[in-house]
Amino acid sequence: LMWATPSPFWTLACWLALKLALTPASLALPIPCGLFTPLFAIGAAFGRLWGEVLHAALPHAGVVPGAYAVVGAAALTSGATHTLSTSVIVFELTGQLHHMLPVLVAVLIAYAVAGTFTASVYDVLLSLRGIPYLPRVHSALLYDAYAKDVMHRYADDADGVPPTPDAEAADGADVVVGGSGGGGG
């Protein structure tokens, strides 16, 4: 009788337990498999489970659990992959722009929190597999540079004529890369 009308809580909890156990196993095996879609599905399941909990707790509030699934999918995927483009993918997949505000807010929060505490799942996989990658590299000269170091006043020019935009760009580029203005040096 229980299988005739299964509870969404039981179904989602079982599916999540299996998915959370099998996704890392499939990623650890030397077979080609994706990461984006399983993350998207796990996020959707967590979001749907949260939507079902809210729907059961507040039955007359008009909670739509499917909307929470869309937001959860976008947020988990964005946080794990450190990409903001997940929100655009969600809008393309669903064709529903009326979920734009919740999806964008959830994606931005997930991106900010994940960026503060963890590396991207792709960077972690590269590191675990011993594949070299380039982390973010910033010029050491920029750490101590101020805006006044690259800005020039027109009065500073010898002839008093404002420099052309090309000359300003060249001067700024020389300061940023540490050159002396003498052709890449």
Side-chain angles (χ1 to χ4, degrees), residues 95-122:
Q96 302 293 319
L97 294 180
H98 62 275
H99 295 301
M100 182 179 283
L101 185 62
V103 168
L104 287 175
V105 168
V107 163
L108 288 173
I109 291 172
Y111 180 81
V113 170
T116 302
F117 296 112
T118 65
S120 166
V121 68
Y122 296 118

Side-chain angles (χ1 to χ4, degrees), residues 30-185:
I31 57 173
C33 62
L35 178 63
F36 189 87
T37 303
L39 282 174
F40 202 79
I42 291 170
F46 272 120
R48 177 66 186 249
L49 186 59
W50 178 248
E52 292 290 346
V53 167
L54 286 178
H55 183 66
L58 307 166
H60 301 294
V63 174
V64 180
Y68 285 88
V70 171
V71 173
L76 181 72
T77 307
S78 175
T81 61
H82 291 223
T83 57
L84 295 174
S85 60
T86 306
S87 58
V88 176
I89 294 170
V90 166
F91 301 141
E92 290 288 329
L93 285 174
T94 63
Q96 302 293 319
L97 294 180
H98 62 275
H99 295 301
M100 182 179 283
L101 185 62
V103 168
L104 287 175
V105 168
V107 163
L108 288 173
I109 291 172
Y111 180 81
V113 170
T116 302
F117 296 112
T118 65
S120 166
V121 68
Y122 296 118
D123 292 340
V124 170
L125 286 174
L126 288 173
S127 175
L128 286 174
R129 293 183 178 163
I131 300 171
Y133 73 99
L134 293 175
R136 292 184 191 154
V137 178
H138 300 287
S139 172
L141 295 173
L142 294 180
Y143 289 128
D144 296 326
Y146 295 97
K148 67 179 184 178
D149 297 334
V150 293
M151 301 294 293
H152 301 286
R153 292 180 180 248
Y154 294 138
D156 291 345
D157 294 333
D159 55 1
V161 177
T164 62
D166 293 336
E168 282 183 341
D171 288 344
D174 286 343
V175 170
V176 171
V177 295
S180 60

